[in-house]
Amino acid sequence: QAQGNTFKIGLVLPMTGQQASTGRQIEAAARLYMAQNGDTVAGKKVELIVKDDTSLPDVTKRLAQELVVNDKVNVLAGFGITPSAMATAPIATQSKTPMVVMAAATSSITEASPYIVRTSFTLPQVSVAMGDWAPKNGIKSVVSLVTDYGPGNDAEKFFTERFQLNGGKVLDKLRVPLRNPDFAPFLQKVRDAKPDALFVFVPSGAGAAVMKQFLERGMDKAGIKLIATGDVTDDDQLNDMGDGALGVVTTHHYSAAHPSAANRKFVEAFQKANKNMRPNFMAMGGYDGMRVIYEALKTTKGQGGGDALLAAMKGQIFESPRGQVLIDAQTRDIVQDVYLRKVEKKDGQLYNVEFDVIKAVKDPGKAK
Ligand code: DHB
């Protein structure tokens, strides 16, 4: 296949290891998008090259370098965790290759390279909403518990600052390591502090362990509510968490239960193509990321290099299965609706059911 007739997307994801569900969800979503929209765009044959970085940032960087130099990819995409995205940013800049971040969600990522465009979300974007909701709903004191790296630090800062601004009391701020976390000793501390609620952020894949430990230690029976970003009640795991998860309130940008025609169609097609696996917010970032790439290729009629593609990604606005979204032309970050959701049972399955929305939220991490 001549280079001139192909358009290559290098998709670097954690396909194995602790973050493997992120890779599985995003690859499935990218393949669904291609199956639905064809693999010929603006006269080019679109080729997806998937690489497993095992979520080790040095490996992500090496794979991205090889994809640019050897495979001559037109776009880099994926990036399951913040350190992987950060490690790759200089390669995007040096090679002028657009880099579509479909998962990682620390606010500052888009500032690490002018070639980065994000289709996932940011932790400040979803955490501020909880800092507003909780104090209005009887929660006067909290302990926060986050994974100790970029997105966790963002969640802690933006949730606790807003919660305090609204008159709430933060009794303690706890951080657990990213690799092989043991939540037990931290939850004991939370029990002793007796807050009205525990606020949690952990990355996709770790939510079920938090929920299990929270319930096993009888935190709910001790009168401590669990509130979180939607990473905890992850649609990839939620249905296996059991009825103990019922009633947990979270804030996030995507729920598989989002009641729109576009989402019903997306979820049905995704489940049909993937042995009934339920799409989570990672799949959503991957699906919309492919859309942003396809539309940029159409706009540039298959003729542009990295700079032209990047320009065509900026300012895209469309109805996603998650709701209306915009790729902000200035920040290259996603502007989207943020939902309040509660875990409820529908047709015998657990879902994050949306009960309120904050429209068109920009990343508050970039307000200054
Ligand atoms: C990040 C990873 C996640 O799995 C998640 O749910 C949120 C953020 C990250 O590393 O940026």
Side-chain angles (χ1 to χ4, degrees):
Q1 184 86 53
Q3 177 70 25
N5 291 324
T6 57
F7 183 89
K8 295 182 183 174
I9 302 169
L11 190 61
V12 191
L13 291 167
M15 301 306 301
T16 54
Q18 197 174 287
Q19 248 59 47
S21 69
T22 296
R24 174 163 42 82
Q25 287 271 352
I26 292 180
E27 182 184 1
R31 295 207 184 280
L32 175 64
Y33 190 88
M34 291 179 72
Q36 290 177 329
N37 294 277
D39 63 358
T40 304
V41 181
K44 301 264 181 178
K45 179 111 166 79
V46 179
E47 193 185 319
L48 194 65
I49 307 174
V50 180
K51 299 281 183 187
D52 177 14
D53 68 6
T54 71
S55 86
L56 293 174
D58 291 346
V59 178
T60 318
K61 185 177 183 178
R62 176 174 57 74
L63 291 172
Q65 180 84 35
E66 289 170 6
L67 284 165
V68 166
V69 174
N70 302 340
D71 297 291
K72 304 202 163 40
V73 295
N74 300 87
V75 175
L76 288 165
F79 309 102
I81 59 169
T82 289
S84 292
M86 287 302 204
T88 308
I91 291 170
T93 306
Q94 284 152 24
S95 65
K96 299 185 188 299
T97 308
M99 172 174 158
V100 179
V101 174
M102 297 170 160
T106 300
S107 173
S108 60
I109 287 173
T110 43
E111 289 158 342
S113 167
Y115 287 85
I116 290 178
V117 168
R118 175 155 42 199
T119 59
S120 52
F121 72 110
T122 80
L123 266 305
Q125 202 170 39
V126 298
S127 300
V128 163
M130 186 55 87
D132 282 332
W133 181 85
K136 282 189 210 139
N137 289 274
I139 296 169
K140 297 193 164 51
S141 64
V142 297
V143 172
S144 65
L145 173 65
V146 303
T147 304
D148 191 9
Y149 76 127
N153 301 348
D154 271 0
E156 178 193 274
K157 176 174 167 22
F158 282 84
F159 166 72
T160 60
E161 282 183 3
R162 181 63 73 112
F163 184 71
Q164 285 171 311
L165 190 73
N166 287 322
K169 252 204 185 121
V170 178
L171 305 181
D172 207 352
K173 300 178 191 177
L174 307 174
R175 295 182 178 190
V176 297
L178 175 60
R179 306 283 169 195
N180 309 309
D182 175 12
F183 299 106
F186 295 96
L187 291 175
Q188 190 53 52
K189 277 194 167 180
V190 177
R191 254 201 103 126
D192 295 344
K194 296 192 178 66
D196 291 334
L198 170 65
F199 169 80
V200 179
F201 163 81
V202 291
S204 185
V210 172
M211 189 70 77
K212 185 164 180 282
Q213 292 271 323
F214 185 86
L215 296 172
E216 274 176 12
R217 307 196 142 252
M219 311 278 287
D220 53 336
K221 298 203 175 66
I224 301 169
K225 287 195 180 70
L226 178 62
I227 54 175
T229 63
D231 311 74
V232 174
T233 55
D234 187 341
D235 271 308
D236 189 72
Q237 300 183 317
L238 178 60
N239 208 25
D240 298 321
M241 289 185 193
D243 288 356
L246 286 168
V248 172
V249 173
T250 57
T251 49
H252 230 210
H253 57 292
Y254 180 66
S255 165
H258 180 61
S260 73
N263 187 50
R264 272 191 282 272
K265 207 173 135 221
F266 167 69
V267 173
E268 195 180 294
F270 188 95
Q271 294 202 304
K272 196 165 170 219
N274 296 286
K275 300 190 177 109
N276 227 27
M277 171 165 82
R278 189 193 289 182
N280 71 356
F281 60 100
M282 293 300 185
M284 197 65 267
Y287 191 75
D288 285 346
M290 289 297 286
R291 178 186 175 123
V292 166
I293 296 167
Y294 265 51
E295 291 302 318
L297 181 53
K298 280 187 204 163
T299 303
T300 55
K301 301 188 167 64
Q303 302 302 312
D307 284 305
L309 281 170
L310 180 73
M313 290 178 182
K314 293 179 187 177
Q316 284 191 28
I317 182 162
F318 55 93
E319 197 208 340
S320 154
R322 69 181 101 176
Q324 189 78 8
V325 302
L326 159 73
I327 304 298
D328 185 282
Q330 270 71 51
T331 62
R332 292 160 280 103
D333 224 332
I334 190 162
V335 179
Q336 60 191 332
D337 298 347
V338 171
Y339 304 90
L340 272 301
R341 313 99 51 83
K342 184 187 265 183
V343 177
E344 288 177 13
K345 208 171 240 180
K346 274 190 5 181
D347 308 323
Q349 296 199 34
L350 298 181
Y351 281 100
N352 294 296
V353 175
E354 295 166 359
F355 63 87
D356 204 355
V357 60
I358 303 129
K359 300 294 276 183
V361 182
K362 276 189 160 202
D363 174 30
K366 293 181 191 73
K368 289 154 222 125

